[in-house]
């Protein structure tokens, strides 16, 4: 049951997402839900629970563990899985490195964001996944704005934006060859503000990282990175203690914090409503090139 009855556009967005999730269960034999521990995948898990209530979510959740996660993210993940009563599958980037499938970046603070693509594709092949549900939204980044709800991937897991199916009248074509699969994005039409308003109305729990807190950070190329096991200050960098929060959660090595005093959902909604920088504006992995996200997506990224 919902904490509060939804009204207006949030009710329509929820209905659309639930319809997409039920289409996934109807059309595919071995789907999964990609879970990162961020707010979008948490909302997707919440929607999946509602879509199939009173039964359990009929497919497993898959987490690609880079080894560079925030401890708060992993603790929240395990607590949520226990509460949902779902099967969690975890595949590790470190295992891919040990097997020689990928190579660590030769850098003082290497990012594993790019490496997880190989781990993901290997996991989808191993588990014979034919549809991987994700929490990407079209407003996040220009490459994601090109996505369909049902995003076709070829035999190599690659995305070709020119080879996607039309989705007239919300009719989704999940037909594919045996070695191909789909990525499915039920919250494609949501905005960051929609997500936060929905979280507030549904009283959805989130990792503490999303709320303002004191943390040691370093300013690296204009991005505030949290000091920790995988981010150490370089020569010339100064560690400062700031009151910050995160708008998006990824690896500690590439996810930037930003100064904020928003400590509850009402304050966060007010802050997001007036923000002039996108939530991925402080992601170092997106700054590597003008088309960094599209390049990664073509290779099989989330």
């Amino acid at each position: 049951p919902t904490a509060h009855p939804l009204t207006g556009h949030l009710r329509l967005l929820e209905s659309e997402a639930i319809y997409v999730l039920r289409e996934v269960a109807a059309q595919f034999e071995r789907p999964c839900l990609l879970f990162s521990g961020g707010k979008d995948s948490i909302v997707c898990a919440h929607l999946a629970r509602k879509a199939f209530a009173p039964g359990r979510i009929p497919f497993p959740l898959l987490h690609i563990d880079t080894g560079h996660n925030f401890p708060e993210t992993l603790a929240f993940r395990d607590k949520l899985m226990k509460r949902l009563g779902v099967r969690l599958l975890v595949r590790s980037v470190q295992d891919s490195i040990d097997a020689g499938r990928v190579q660590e970046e030769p850098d003082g603070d290497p990012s594993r964001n790019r490496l997880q693509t190989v781990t993901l594709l290997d996991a989808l092949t191993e588990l014979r996944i034919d549809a991987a549900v994700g929490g990407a939204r079209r407003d996040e980044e220009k490459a994601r704005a090109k996505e369909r709800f049902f995003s076709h991937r070829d035999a190599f897991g690659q995305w070709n934006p020119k080879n996607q199916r039309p989705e007239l009248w919300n009719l989704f074509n999940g037909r594919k060859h045996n070695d191909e699969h789909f990525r499915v994005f039920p919250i494609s039409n949501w905005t960051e503000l929609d997500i936060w308003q929905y979280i507030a109305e549904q009283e959805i729990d989130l990792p503490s990282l999303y709320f303002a807190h004191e943390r040691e950070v370093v300013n690296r190329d204009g991005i505030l990175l949290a000091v920790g096991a995988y981010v150490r200050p370089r020569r010339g960098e100064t560690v400062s203690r700031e009151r910050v929060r995160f708008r998006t959660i990824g690896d500690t090595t590439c996810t930037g914090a930003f100064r904020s005093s928003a400590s509850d959902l009402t304050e966060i909604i007010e802050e997001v409503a007036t923000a002039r920088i996108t939530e991925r504006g402080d992601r170092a992995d997106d700054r590597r090139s003008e088309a960094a996200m599209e390049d990664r997506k073509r290779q099989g990224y989330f």
Side-chain angles (χ1 to χ4, degrees):
T2 61
H4 302 286
L6 291 171
T7 58
H9 76 290
L10 288 181
R11 182 172 58 84
L12 295 175
L13 288 172
E14 181 191 69
S15 177
E16 178 182 66
I18 286 175
Y19 172 72
V20 172
L21 286 164
R22 288 172 176 168
E23 279 293 301
V24 169
Q27 292 198 37
F28 298 100
E29 295 181 1
R30 300 180 66 89
C32 74
L33 195 159
L34 298 174
F35 188 83
S36 67
K39 64 184 185 303
D40 296 322
S41 63
I42 292 169
V43 166
C44 282
H46 177 84
L47 289 164
R49 181 184 64 81
K50 292 188 75 172
F52 302 105
R56 291 187 176 182
I57 299 173
F59 39 75
L61 275 63
L62 173 62
H63 180 216
I64 303 301
D65 184 0
T66 64
H68 289 173
N69 297 287
F70 287 95
E72 296 93 331
T73 304
L74 298 180
F76 182 89
R77 177 200 70 184
D78 294 340
K79 183 177 72 172
L80 179 62
M81 296 305 110
K82 186 175 181 180
R83 189 167 77 239
L84 291 176
V86 297
R87 186 161 60 108
L88 174 67
L89 304 173
V90 180
R91 294 298 181 269
S92 167
V93 171
Q94 185 61 54
D95 290 343
S96 298
I97 294 172
D98 294 343
R101 294 282 293 145
V102 292
Q103 186 173 358
E104 193 91 79
E105 292 182 352
D107 189 11
D109 297 313
S111 171
R112 291 183 172 180
N113 190 275
R114 180 181 57 83
L115 306 186
Q116 65 183 326
T117 297
V118 173
T119 309
L120 170 63
L121 293 177
D122 286 350
L124 297 181
T125 300
E126 172 204 346
L127 300 168
R128 295 186 290 124
I129 299 296
D130 53 4
V133 178
R137 307 189 321 270
R138 290 177 178 138
D139 76 316
E140 286 183 281
E141 208 273 343
K142 57 188 178 184
R144 286 181 166 167
K146 302 176 184 179
E147 284 283 19
R148 301 283 198 269
F149 282 102
F150 276 33
S151 178
H152 176 261
R153 303 300 167 104
D154 66 18
F156 302 99
Q158 296 176 332
W159 173 68
N160 182 353
K162 296 180 179 180
N163 187 30
Q164 300 299 318
R165 283 88 183 272
E167 295 179 341
L168 305 175
W169 308 290
N170 279 353
L171 297 175
F172 303 120
N173 180 1
R175 294 181 181 179
K176 61 175 191 56
H177 296 296
N178 287 335
D179 51 357
E180 298 172 343
H181 73 277
F182 279 83
R183 309 287 172 86
V184 181
F185 304 109
I187 60 171
S188 288
N189 286 335
W190 298 46
T191 66
E192 183 187 9
L193 187 58
D194 293 331
I195 291 289
W196 282 112
Q197 290 174 334
Y198 186 77
I199 287 168
E201 291 204 22
Q202 297 287 285
E203 299 179 354
I204 299 173
D205 289 335
L206 292 175
S208 59
L209 295 165
Y210 281 113
F211 302 92
H213 58 282
E214 298 282 333
R215 185 178 288 267
E216 289 188 339
V217 297
V218 294
N219 190 325
R220 183 167 301 162
D221 300 324
I223 298 176
L224 295 179
L225 294 178
V227 175
Y230 306 107
V231 177
R232 307 303 304 170
R234 295 173 179 170
R235 182 177 298 178
E237 291 182 337
T238 302
V239 176
S240 60
R241 191 164 186 83
E242 304 270 5
R243 187 164 178 79
V244 299
R245 75 175 192 87
F246 295 86
R247 288 175 69 185
T248 177
I249 294 179
D251 279 7
T252 60
T253 55
C254 65
T255 303
F258 72 102
R259 297 178 183 88
S260 172
S261 60
S263 57
D264 61 37
L265 291 174
T266 300
E267 293 175 344
I268 288 175
I269 289 170
E270 291 175 355
E271 187 177 77
V272 170
T274 58
R276 299 178 63 87
I277 299 175
T278 67
E279 64 193 293
R280 295 189 68 94
D282 285 325
R283 288 288 291 262
D285 48 327
D286 288 349
R287 294 190 180 187
R288 293 193 169 193
S289 74
E290 183 67 22
M293 173 65 80
E294 179 147 347
D295 291 341
R296 295 201 306 275
K297 282 174 63 62
R298 286 179 181 274
Q299 294 165 4
Y301 184 71
F302 299 108

